[in-house]
Amino acid sequence: MKFEGTKDYVATGDLTMAVNAAVTLERPLLVKGEPGTGKTELARQVANSLGLRMIEWNVKSTTRAQQGLYEYDAVSRLRDSQLGDERVNDVSNYIRKGKLWQAFEADEKVVLLIDEVDKADIEFPNDLLQELDRMEFHVYETGATISARHRPIVIITSNNEKELPDAFLRRCFFHYIRFPEPETLRQIVAVHHPGIKESLLTTALTQFYELRETPGLKKKPSTSEVLDWLKLLLAEDLSPEDLKRDGANALPKLHGALLKNEQDVHLFERLAFMARRQGR
């Protein structure tokens, strides 16, 4: 069972090596990187490539680790008992299975994605240590122990918003997805926009990398944002000449696809203003 990338996802050699190493070690693969560099999509493509079903757990700031195991609905049971419902005699009627439970009880090997683990409380990763290590957990309400029938391939993503505990990191295989080099980005663009003209692509990517490297930029545009930008350029049928910037306007065409906050827009407006003053 080896991941080698797919026709819809350009995976670098070190990324495919990381996926396969995590599978071999039977450890969760912790993937970090800038937002928009394809961390979540990696899990989908690993599942597609290996012919496995994917179970996705999207973590939010309010998510608790227990929700990944199960939740006991005591309120519904109390209400049913007041109504004389016979369901109350079986506590399992009030237990909702979480994503880990679903992955553990699957009849076949699955890919379990725990997406954006760093959004939750700092204790969230620590609360999952035992379950991810032993691949089992105890249901206190029923006394049952749920063990994984087939050890899932666990992929955990993080946007680096907060540090993860050392004990959690120790149990993972780690990979950082770096922002793609120009040649790799060209391959990614070819997957999504196969008919783009070479001259337009060269001009657009040159401008894009210049924008990313602008000192003082608060949020650098990501891979997904450059793909959106190129889609707009193609929809508007713009030429390389249309993308040319001068001192009067430092903002790229359709910059709303690339710059996502007013501070960065103001930065380029100031650069244009300074260029005009120097040109006098």
Side-chain angles (χ1 to χ4, degrees):
M1 186 175 283
K2 266 196 171 239
F3 174 65
E4 296 177 346
T6 70
K7 63 181 180 61
D8 298 321
Y9 188 88
V10 177
T12 57
D14 57 343
L15 178 55
T16 58
M17 188 182 298
V19 172
N20 293 319
V23 171
T24 301
L25 292 172
E26 296 187 326
R27 295 274 190 183
L29 173 63
L30 174 62
V31 186
K32 288 188 179 184
E34 294 179 30
T37 48
K39 300 183 297 297
T40 302
E41 187 60 26
L42 170 66
R44 298 192 181 105
Q45 295 303 325
V46 169
N48 289 341
S49 172
L50 302 179
L52 304 177
R53 180 164 66 93
M54 189 179 91
I55 294 175
E56 187 169 349
W57 184 13
N58 296 302
V59 177
K60 300 185 173 117
S61 59
T62 55
T63 302
R64 294 175 292 106
Q66 180 64 32
Q67 292 171 306
L69 308 179
Y70 69 92
E71 290 185 278
Y72 170 54
D73 191 352
V75 174
S76 292
R77 193 181 187 198
L78 174 61
R79 184 188 63 235
D80 287 350
S81 69
Q82 292 170 340
L83 296 173
D85 194 321
E86 291 186 0
R87 281 164 37 92
V88 298
N89 297 320
D90 186 356
V91 69
S92 64
N93 289 325
Y94 303 92
I95 289 178
R96 289 197 293 265
K97 298 175 182 179
K99 299 296 184 180
L100 263 73
W101 190 329
Q102 294 172 32
F104 285 6
E105 74 171 3
D107 291 328
E108 74 287 347
K109 197 177 190 71
V110 299
V111 173
L112 172 63
L113 169 64
I114 305 177
D115 202 24
E116 299 190 330
V117 69
D118 53 328
K119 274 189 175 178
D121 184 85
I122 189 63
E123 290 304 318
F124 177 88
N126 277 337
D127 291 342
L128 289 176
L129 288 181
Q130 295 282 70
E131 290 75 15
L132 291 176
D133 214 18
R134 297 182 181 176
M135 284 288 147
E136 67 176 28
F137 63 90
H138 187 70
V139 183
Y140 294 98
E141 289 76 7
T142 65
T145 297
I146 308 301
S147 301
R149 296 179 185 173
H150 305 275
R151 192 178 190 97
I153 296 173
V154 182
I155 297 179
I156 303 170
T157 72
S158 167
N159 286 329
N160 248 349
E161 290 183 7
K162 60 170 70 95
E163 287 295 319
L164 298 173
D166 287 346
F168 178 76
L169 295 175
R170 215 166 38 241
R171 289 166 168 81
C172 298
F173 189 92
F174 172 76
H175 182 75
Y176 183 84
I177 298 183
R178 300 182 186 281
F179 192 82
E181 298 294 325
E183 189 52 44
T184 304
L185 187 53
R186 280 176 172 273
Q187 295 175 32
I188 294 171
V189 170
V191 169
H192 295 270
H193 305 299
I196 192 167
K197 292 180 180 177
E198 179 62 29
S199 56
L200 177 63
L201 179 60
T202 298
T203 302
L205 290 188
T206 299
Q207 198 169 113
F208 171 72
Y209 276 101
E210 287 175 353
L211 186 149
R212 262 188 67 88
E213 297 307 316
T214 302
L217 203 62
K218 184 177 181 181
K219 182 197 174 302
K220 294 183 177 183
S222 67
T223 311
S224 61
E225 286 161 341
V226 72
L227 291 174
D228 287 345
W229 185 51
L230 290 170
K231 183 177 181 179
L232 288 174
L233 299 184
L234 291 170
E236 295 293 327
D237 197 23
L238 297 182
S239 68
E241 290 70 30
D242 294 326
L243 298 185
K244 286 182 179 175
R245 295 180 292 173
D246 52 38
N249 186 11
L251 285 166
K253 287 280 192 300
L254 300 166
H255 64 269
L258 299 174
L259 302 175
K260 298 301 176 73
N261 59 68
E262 63 277 15
Q263 294 97 317
D264 289 342
V265 173
H266 292 333
L267 171 64
F268 280 90
E269 289 173 344
R270 286 197 301 274
L271 291 174
F273 175 72
M274 292 168 62
R276 287 197 298 272
R277 290 191 63 180
Q278 291 173 358
R280 287 177 182 172

